[in-house]
Amino acid sequence: MEPQLAEAQKIRPVVLGAGVCGLYAAHTLAKNGLTPLVLEKEEVVGGLAAGRRQGENYYDFGVHHLHAHDREIFEELQSLLGPRLQSVEKSALIRYGKGFRRYPLQFMDILKGIPPLELMASVSGLAWQSLRNRFQKQEAENAEQALIELYGKPLYRHFFQDFTERYWGIPTTELSATFVRTKMPRLSAVDVLKKLMGRFGLKDQKDASVESATLEETLYYPPTGARELSMSMAASVEKQGGLVHLNTPVEAVEHQGGEVEAVVFTDSEGRSRRQECPFLLSTIPLPSLVQVLRPSAPDEVQHAARQLSFKGTAVYGYLVRKEKILDALFVYFRDRIFHRLAEPKLSGLQVQPPGHTLLLAETTCDPGDDRWLGGAETRARMVSDLEAEGLIQKEDIVETHVFVQEHAYPVFRLGFEPYLDTVQNWLGGIPNLRSVGRNGGFCYPNMHGAMRMGAEAAFELSAMSRKGGVVEGHP
Ligand SMILES: Cc1cc2nc3c(=O)[nH]c(=O)nc-3n(C[C@H](O)[C@H](O)[C@H](O)COP(=O)(O)OP(=O)(O)OC[C@H]3O[C@@H](n4cnc5c(N)ncnc54)[C@H](O)[C@@H]3O)c2cc1C
């Protein structure tokens, strides 16, 4: 047997997907003396946090800053990247009312943004709702009810309804209340109002939304973009004897007697390969994993997996003949074609030629629609909205590139929970398999959250197989 082939074929733990979750998991395994095989279907590592090179410049899929909330993960990445992990103070704005306000919205800012009559209606709506929540025992049945419970009807109408529906492409009545509880950052302005009301005995018993995003924070970003995070982890995995195969979608996951035995894929020479593994850590979308299981999962599980859907995103990247465009690292918009603009040069991205900058415009979409395809209508609307905001003129744009991802956001559709439970419970019966990360866990971590999920799954699986004594190369 050729030495390279023998090397590839020894029993290895397998990781599906080379996004930050899969790579951090593989890096953790490699640090523990294992030699994982990572299979990635794309031509680059990084998944949602990958960057694409176009000419001399690097375009993130929306700017991807690293947060440092998880000290251990942050220090691990710092040890891989050293001084390339540059720090930058967070600054975020939201287009609101007649101008730009700090994001998350602050109490005084929200006051300034709402016309006086509407403001009175919003405050009394919130107070009325808090009172109602004390007596109303019924759980919210959908996202609309959950948002009204949290903010009251006037504020829901004023601030949330249109934007949420435009973002997801479905009415709030078709989104699950779980979405509001676990995904939607609440307005810190409303937190302040609620605290004030609490002092007057109007404490809300039903308030279970996620915490507001922080206003002040140090973020981290490498000079050629977020791609460096993934590239440094992939290099570390390979340096320690692991393998990262690009352009290699998994074709089958074989399981027998309640355990995963092997994965099947086609190698770079076009040969079909079967890799035996003591355990499998998957970060690919949950329905894709169910689809490649051999033998197939029961019909009920396959049906449930097909009900789990995702929202795609397109990022329009512009090379612009201007030194600087934005007044913050990123700016949110509620009524433009783009939901968020970012200018990664402000975070330290090197941009060529001098005197130019990059602008990244994010918009949600579905495969095949005009936004996804970079169609003439969307391109024109993007530019006219940027011009209307006074940010650039059409003549300033030197290049336009469109990047798309089908699995950008798991959609918490009304009634998705039992389907997710069915899939997760069935997969939970295979002890040497974990499905984690943003799309593998069908949840909304940021990068360090996804990496934490990968690290924990890697620890659990390697501890379990160490007990069974099946992992080759383990100390
Ligand atoms: C527009 C946008 C902006 C964001 N900004 C930030 C930010 O600033 N900071 C932050 O911390 N987080 C940010 N996030 C969140 C962050 O991108 C994700 O949480 C994180 O990248 C998820 O990593 P993951 O490895 O779990 O998933 P993914 O990145 O989706 O990785 C899964 C990998 O599996 C591969 N794959 C899929 N199918 C197969 C198959 N059949 N075989 C083999 N491989 C397969 C995919 O190609 C992909 O590489 C942002 C997300 C979006 C959408």
Side-chain angles (χ1 to χ4, degrees):
M1 191 181 288
E2 301 157 46
Q4 244 184 342
L5 204 56
E7 179 65 8
Q9 285 192 341
K10 75 180 185 190
I11 294 179
R12 294 169 180 276
V14 173
V15 175
L16 301 181
V20 291
C21 177
L23 286 172
Y24 197 84
H27 169 72
T28 305
L29 294 172
K31 273 189 69 170
N32 280 295
L34 302 176
T35 53
L37 167 67
V38 183
L39 299 182
E40 167 56 50
K41 78 172 166 64
E42 297 294 331
E43 60 187 2
V44 292
V45 293
L48 288 170
R52 302 279 173 165
R53 184 177 179 154
Q54 297 288 341
E56 291 178 88
N57 290 305
Y58 297 94
Y59 293 76
D60 270 11
F61 189 72
V63 73
H64 269 76
H65 295 101
L66 180 70
H67 301 257
H69 305 165
D70 192 317
R71 211 58 216 168
E72 190 187 317
I73 286 174
F74 173 68
E75 283 169 9
E76 202 56 47
L77 285 166
Q78 215 174 23
S79 76
L80 295 178
L81 282 162
R84 293 191 72 76
L85 207 50
Q86 318 162 115
S87 65
V88 57
E89 287 316 304
K90 177 175 168 183
S91 55
L93 294 173
I94 182 165
R95 181 76 150 122
Y96 179 65
K98 290 202 175 99
F100 291 93
R101 320 267 174 202
R102 286 170 301 168
Y103 181 86
L105 271 171
Q106 299 304 289
F107 185 54
M108 287 314 290
D109 292 335
I110 204 169
L111 292 190
K112 285 181 210 152
I114 308 184
L117 278 179
E118 223 174 303
L119 178 64
M120 276 167 62
S122 295
V123 173
S124 47
L126 192 58
W128 167 242
Q129 191 62 46
S130 294
L131 258 181
R132 273 190 75 159
N133 291 349
R134 302 192 112 199
F135 303 105
Q136 197 180 34
K137 293 284 170 261
Q138 229 176 319
E139 283 295 309
E141 281 170 17
N142 55 40
E144 179 179 77
Q145 286 182 12
L147 283 166
I148 291 174
E149 265 184 10
L150 267 177
Y151 301 115
K153 231 179 223 166
L155 205 52
Y156 161 71
R157 295 249 157 84
H158 172 79
F159 198 84
F160 292 98
Q161 187 173 16
D162 275 6
F163 174 70
T164 314
E165 294 187 356
R166 278 191 324 105
Y167 198 91
W168 294 96
I170 49 176
T172 44
T173 45
E174 287 177 30
L175 279 172
S176 161
T178 309
F179 161 75
V180 178
R181 285 194 286 268
T182 60
K183 158 70 182 147
M184 207 147 177
R186 74 182 172 209
L187 293 173
S188 59
V190 174
D191 291 346
V192 177
L193 262 180
K194 287 194 166 186
K195 262 188 206 145
L196 266 177
M197 293 190 315
R199 285 199 206 142
F200 296 102
L202 287 175
K203 190 160 171 31
D204 194 336
Q205 321 260 310
K206 283 190 154 189
D207 192 348
S209 67
V210 288
E211 289 303 313
S212 309
T214 47
L215 193 62
E216 278 164 27
E217 190 184 352
T218 302
L219 302 171
Y220 296 85
Y221 195 76
T224 72
R227 62 198 274 283
E228 286 192 43
L229 304 172
S230 302
M231 288 169 70
S232 70
M233 290 189 275
S236 151
V237 169
E238 295 208 303
K239 199 169 153 202
Q240 296 174 82
L243 297 169
V244 180
H245 287 350
L246 301 177
N247 293 311
T248 312
V250 59
E251 287 158 12
V253 169
E254 296 178 358
H255 61 107
Q256 179 81 38
E259 296 238 315
V260 170
E261 285 196 329
V263 296
V264 179
F265 59 95
T266 302
D267 72 11
S268 54
E269 260 96 65
R271 290 176 292 204
S272 180
R273 294 269 168 254
R274 183 178 182 278
Q275 173 67 58
E276 279 184 56
C277 56
F279 57 80
L280 176 70
L281 196 155
S282 175
T283 71
I284 70 176
L286 207 43
S288 313
L289 173 64
V290 170
Q291 217 176 7
V292 294
L293 287 168
R294 300 288 176 274
S296 301
D299 287 350
E300 182 202 354
V301 176
Q302 291 186 56
H303 171 76
R306 284 195 295 272
Q307 309 313 308
L308 302 175
S309 58
F310 296 81
K311 189 78 194 167
T313 292
V315 174
Y316 283 62
Y318 298 98
L319 175 63
V320 182
R321 199 178 299 108
K322 265 183 112 167
E323 197 59 58
K324 175 175 176 286
I325 299 170
L326 301 178
D327 291 328
L329 302 185
F330 35 92
V331 185
Y332 292 87
F333 293 84
R334 297 167 60 243
D335 45 17
R336 294 290 180 193
I337 188 170
F338 36 79
H339 309 303
R340 188 168 84 146
L341 292 179
E343 189 181 358
K345 187 178 175 183
L346 305 181
S347 308
L349 182 81
Q350 292 164 359
V351 178
Q352 295 299 335
H356 289 60
T357 190
L358 293 193
L359 190 65
L360 304 174
E362 294 166 28
T363 185
T364 48
C365 59
D366 290 311
D369 69 15
D370 196 70
R371 294 178 185 197
W372 175 276
L373 296 171
E377 193 188 320
T378 304
R379 284 174 188 256
R381 174 88 194 276
M382 281 277 176
V383 175
S384 65
D385 274 5
L386 289 169
E387 288 185 329
E389 288 293 341
L391 295 170
I392 58 172
Q393 294 297 309
K394 194 174 180 189
E395 310 76 72
D396 301 329
I397 299 174
V398 181
E399 289 171 15
T400 306
H401 303 283
V402 184
F403 309 96
V404 289
Q405 291 272 4
E406 185 178 348
H407 299 100
Y409 297 94
V411 182
F412 285 7
R413 268 185 194 277
L414 195 61
F416 82 100
E417 295 91 341
Y419 295 120
L420 181 60
D421 285 349
T422 301
V423 176
Q424 287 183 329
N425 288 341
W426 190 79
L427 291 175
I430 305 178
N432 67 342
L433 167 67
R434 291 284 183 288
S435 181
V436 290
R438 185 171 175 108
N439 295 317
F442 208 74
C443 54
Y444 287 97
N446 50 21
M447 286 194 291
H448 72 251
M451 289 188 262
R452 173 51 59 202
M453 290 172 91
E456 276 168 15
F459 277 127
E460 276 172 34
L461 287 167
S462 50
M464 194 186 306
S465 58
R466 213 171 24 231
K467 269 191 216 148
V470 284
V471 181
E472 186 174 316
H474 204 284

